[in-house]
Amino acid sequence: MESTLGLEIIEVVEQAAIASARWMGKGDKDTADEVAVEAMRERMNKIHMRGRIVIGEGERDDAPMLYIGEEVGICTQPDAADFCNPEELLEIDIAVDPCEGTNLCAYGQPGSMAVLAIAEKGGLFHAPDFYMKKLAAPPAAKGKVDIRKSATENLKILAECLDRAIDELVVIVMKRERHNDLIKEIRDAGARVRLISDGDVSAAISCGFSGTNTHALMGIGAAPEGVISAAAMRCLGAHFQGQLIYDPAVVKTGLIGESKEANLARLTEMGITDPDKIYDANELASGETVLFAGCGITPGDLMEGVRFFHQGARTQSLVISSQSQTARFVDTIHMPKEPKVIQLR
Ligand code: VTB
């Protein structure tokens, strides 16, 4: 799967990032998102595969493109039989977020990316559009920290695993009222908090690499993006756990409906029998082969953002593969048609 898709999915995230970056700093997050969705879908439909969106822009009725269940790829086109041999058909599930951190992009802040995760059919958790409590940490702490434990306990464990003092740890938390107690607890425990306004996917994955000076992500973000983060963290052998939040009393805004009962019914409908289950990265991205791809829209901890020049652009992407056990940073110059000015630096 990797050899067939590796290069193509880089182009998918690159195209989405370039489209979105044209709207960077323009204060219009909806357009920044829409153009990324369109660009991602257009490029994805040129790939020789039968892909199914399992995490996307929402339910079919609410989203015109990249909705959950939409089929993408050349082998889903009406004349597919002419090009696609059913015996060799590559059937895959895809989770996308064409502009993760739309506010970050719209206001020119760091950390927005075009991202996706891929696995063979059935290899990605079908997360509802709810919130998720998340804990991400470096590979050295995998299976040792635990979302069931308090932040204070986890910081002690993390300090031991990383062989450093608690006050040498940096924890990323999204700046939200729901995290006020968590932020206080982390500070009281002696660690330092990096508050971000949005974009917990980039934050989670940066914990998977050492040298980013981020050692954990704690708090509640969106569930679908949790699956994409988990896919990357699983490939990196890092720690990721997630627990769905379905009670509107815990998170009062945004994604989840008004009533806990209705939310629980929705989970049952989706086949989730234990709503309080704690999922680890291997369960959220359980496929035998899992691939993550991301391309920076604005600059971040992991990647540069898109830079435009003379009608061309330069992008930086990251592709992580469970199959080849690689994390590839790909630096691409997208050449302008005419005149060919290919700027190196
Ligand atoms: C966003 C976004 C995150 O979660 O905040 C969202 O920035 C949901 O949280 O990156 P709010 O409704 O409180 O804004 C993410 O999309 C992903 O988890």
Side-chain angles (χ1 to χ4, degrees):
M1 181 160 88
E2 185 192 346
S3 52
T4 329
L5 284 178
L7 204 60
E8 303 228 54
I9 60 167
I10 297 172
E11 287 187 13
V12 170
V13 288
E14 283 176 352
Q15 290 310 315
I18 290 172
S20 220
R22 293 204 185 275
W23 288 86
M24 189 215 78
K26 297 207 165 192
D28 179 356
K29 71 184 180 94
D30 293 340
T31 307
D33 191 43
E34 267 165 44
V35 294
V37 172
E38 262 171 58
M40 188 174 261
R41 181 173 182 259
E42 196 183 312
R43 183 61 188 87
M44 210 136 55
N45 272 326
K46 293 183 183 145
I47 303 180
H48 201 92
M49 63 170 180
R50 173 177 278 277
R52 179 176 59 142
I53 302 295
V54 294
I55 286 178
E57 291 296 290
E59 303 292 329
R60 188 185 193 137
D61 295 342
D62 308 323
M65 280 187 205
L66 297 183
Y67 54 83
I68 297 162
E70 182 174 351
E71 296 212 305
V72 287
I74 289 180
C75 303
T76 65
Q77 313 294 320
D79 50 357
D82 299 348
F83 334 93
C84 302
N85 175 355
E87 315 262 289
E88 293 164 12
L89 203 58
L90 193 58
E91 281 196 273
I92 57 169
D93 280 356
I94 310 171
V96 301
D97 193 352
C99 181
E100 150 63 7
T102 47
N103 280 318
L104 300 174
C105 174
Y107 299 108
Q109 303 292 312
S112 66
M113 311 184 292
V115 286
L116 60 78
I118 283 183
E120 71 274 2
K121 208 171 171 190
L124 295 171
F125 179 66
H126 297 194
D129 232 348
F130 284 10
Y131 285 93
M132 181 184 268
K133 184 176 169 188
K134 305 173 188 180
L135 174 64
K142 187 181 167 196
K144 301 203 168 94
V145 288
D146 192 327
I147 205 166
R148 297 170 190 86
K149 294 189 170 121
S150 69
T152 314
E153 279 178 89
N154 279 327
L155 288 167
K156 278 189 201 142
I157 298 168
L158 198 53
E160 248 168 61
C161 295
L162 300 178
D163 192 22
R164 50 173 76 207
I166 293 185
D167 66 6
E168 290 168 342
L169 298 175
V170 177
V171 182
I172 301 192
V173 182
M174 274 205 290
K175 192 172 185 324
R176 295 289 188 279
E177 214 183 298
R178 61 180 179 261
H179 294 148
N180 286 353
D181 291 345
L182 173 67
I183 293 165
K184 183 172 183 311
E185 185 180 344
I186 298 169
R187 287 175 177 157
D188 287 348
R192 293 165 300 144
V193 177
R194 213 176 105 195
L195 288 174
I196 55 169
S197 62
D198 281 292
D200 71 357
V201 176
S202 164
I205 301 172
S206 69
C207 301
F209 291 91
S210 72
T212 52
N213 198 31
T214 55
H215 308 106
L217 165 82
M218 295 182 184
I220 297 171
E225 288 84 344
V227 176
I228 300 179
S229 302
M233 296 299 266
R234 138 120 198 244
C235 298
L236 294 170
H239 185 93
F240 189 89
Q241 283 172 301
Q243 184 178 32
L244 293 173
I245 303 287
Y246 52 83
D247 186 350
V250 180
V251 187
K252 294 176 195 67
T253 55
L255 300 172
I256 53 179
E258 295 293 300
S259 119
K260 182 174 158 183
E261 290 65 37
N263 291 336
L264 282 168
R266 165 126 174 77
L267 293 181
T268 314
E269 216 176 88
M270 291 180 74
I272 298 172
T273 47
D274 176 5
D276 296 310
K277 183 175 159 60
I278 289 162
Y279 297 88
D280 65 26
N282 286 316
E283 292 167 308
L284 295 171
S286 62
E288 205 181 299
T289 309
V290 174
L291 278 172
F292 163 88
C295 180
I297 300 171
T298 55
D301 287 340
L302 295 165
M303 287 167 276
E304 292 289 349
V306 178
R307 287 138 293 155
F308 292 109
F309 57 89
H310 313 300
Q311 307 298 317
R314 186 158 184 166
T315 54
Q316 198 183 18
S317 306
L318 167 62
V319 184
I320 316 176
S321 160
S322 69
Q323 196 178 349
S324 64
Q325 295 282 304
T326 49
R328 287 199 174 91
F329 286 90
V330 181
D331 184 12
T332 308
I333 295 176
H334 304 262
M335 293 190 278
K337 284 202 179 70
E338 288 299 337
K340 285 240 183 282
V341 181
I342 300 152
Q343 191 159 322
L344 198 54
R345 276 184 198 97

